[in-house]
Amino acid sequence: MDARKRQCLAAMGIARWVPRGVAESLPDEASETVMEAPGWSELEQRVAACTGCDLHRSRTQTVFGVGDRAARWMIVGEAPGEQEDLRGEPFVGRSGKLLDAMLLAMGLARQDVYIANILKCRPPDNRNPTPEEASHCAPYLRRQMELINPGIILAVGLVAAQRLLDTKLPLARLRGELHSYGDNDTPLVVTYHPAYLLRAPLQKKKAWQDLLLARSVLTE
Ligand code: URA
């Protein structure tokens, strides 16, 4: 990462994480913006204490993520809603029930996968995350992905898909094909958000095709 980008991230209060032992060897101006990559418990504590954006003022609690920390499947949604904010767990409301059913159809229980969101805090009135909020939260999700190292990422909904793939393309252009995420080129499949499928059940057939595509990556 070049110095200018580092400066911008530092100005926004966004930390850059490096492997243990590397931070000390960096020049002073670089080491100010880096922190050693946290393990699970430290990451969880940092998220719980995060005041990086204004959403911390209105949240009941942060919603870190849930599931198997050695999962092959990682599911990424948008942001906690009302139920998730109250319970501290992603996808526990109506769309969560549908997500559970979709997973079950693949022979997967909720505890077999890891589920997280682009944002760890609920946006008021369930509005879409702002780019600033998503940027502040991004290092947390990125670190979760590094720690889990999943075989497949399933991005559910437009917000998660656009954010993870750094694109403005519509969902219809993103689903139905294999993408990749991050330095490890982790395979990534995009599908509809369960909240949308509740409103448009006829699209469930396409969502099923997306799930089969995602599964094919792991069985190949
Ligand atoms: N919608 C999401 O995208 N994530 C949740 O956790 C709940 C609803």
Side-chain angles (χ1 to χ4, degrees):
M1 186 187 306
D2 64 30
R4 203 175 130 66
K5 187 156 183 206
R6 240 183 355 246
Q7 268 176 358
C8 285
L9 291 177
M12 290 191 291
I14 297 170
R16 191 165 65 95
W17 288 324
V18 296
R20 291 196 187 281
V22 173
E24 302 78 47
S25 62
L26 289 166
D28 277 354
E29 82 280 4
S31 64
E32 276 168 25
T33 65
V34 302
M35 290 189 258
E36 272 190 359
W40 278 111
S41 63
E42 196 183 333
L43 184 64
E44 215 163 349
Q45 283 169 31
R46 285 190 197 174
V47 167
C50 184
T51 54
C53 75
D54 271 353
L55 294 182
H56 78 277
R57 297 182 199 284
S58 50
R59 73 183 177 216
T60 305
Q61 58 193 312
T62 54
V63 178
F64 182 71
V66 73
D68 181 356
R69 292 177 173 183
R72 305 302 294 138
W73 287 76
M74 176 143 188
I75 319 293
V76 180
E78 180 178 326
E82 185 182 15
Q83 292 304 312
E84 290 77 19
D85 171 74
L86 290 172
R87 297 213 357 221
E89 187 174 327
F91 282 103
V92 290
R94 275 189 75 218
S95 50
K97 299 275 170 291
L98 179 54
L99 179 64
D100 287 350
M102 289 161 68
L103 291 172
L104 212 56
M106 305 288 294
L108 293 165
R110 193 176 167 82
Q111 56 271 22
D112 296 332
V113 304
Y114 195 87
I115 308 176
N117 283 309
I118 295 294
L119 291 192
K120 306 294 186 215
C121 294
R122 181 190 181 203
D125 304 319
N126 299 341
R127 64 159 170 72
N128 281 353
T130 66
E132 292 72 27
E133 289 159 357
S135 297
H136 275 294
C137 239
Y140 300 133
L141 181 63
R142 204 178 307 126
R143 185 65 187 142
Q144 285 174 304
M145 287 186 178
E146 281 168 11
L147 288 165
I148 295 165
N149 191 21
I152 183 78
I153 297 168
L154 184 69
V156 298
L158 183 66
V159 169
Q162 288 189 337
R163 188 73 210 176
L164 293 178
L165 296 173
D166 191 20
T167 178
K168 292 270 179 259
L169 286 174
L171 196 115
R173 291 277 307 279
L174 295 171
R175 59 160 298 279
E177 65 178 281
L178 200 55
H179 304 270
S180 66
Y181 171 84
D183 294 341
N184 290 345
D185 283 336
T186 307
L188 185 152
V189 167
V190 172
T191 193
Y192 295 112
H193 195 286
Y196 170 73
L197 293 174
L198 287 169
R199 298 193 301 273
L202 291 180
Q203 305 292 357
K204 282 184 188 171
K205 214 165 156 183
K206 288 194 204 155
W208 177 242
Q209 286 162 2
D210 299 331
L211 293 180
L212 292 180
L213 172 63
R215 184 165 70 180
S216 73
V217 173
L218 294 179
T219 52
E220 254 166 26

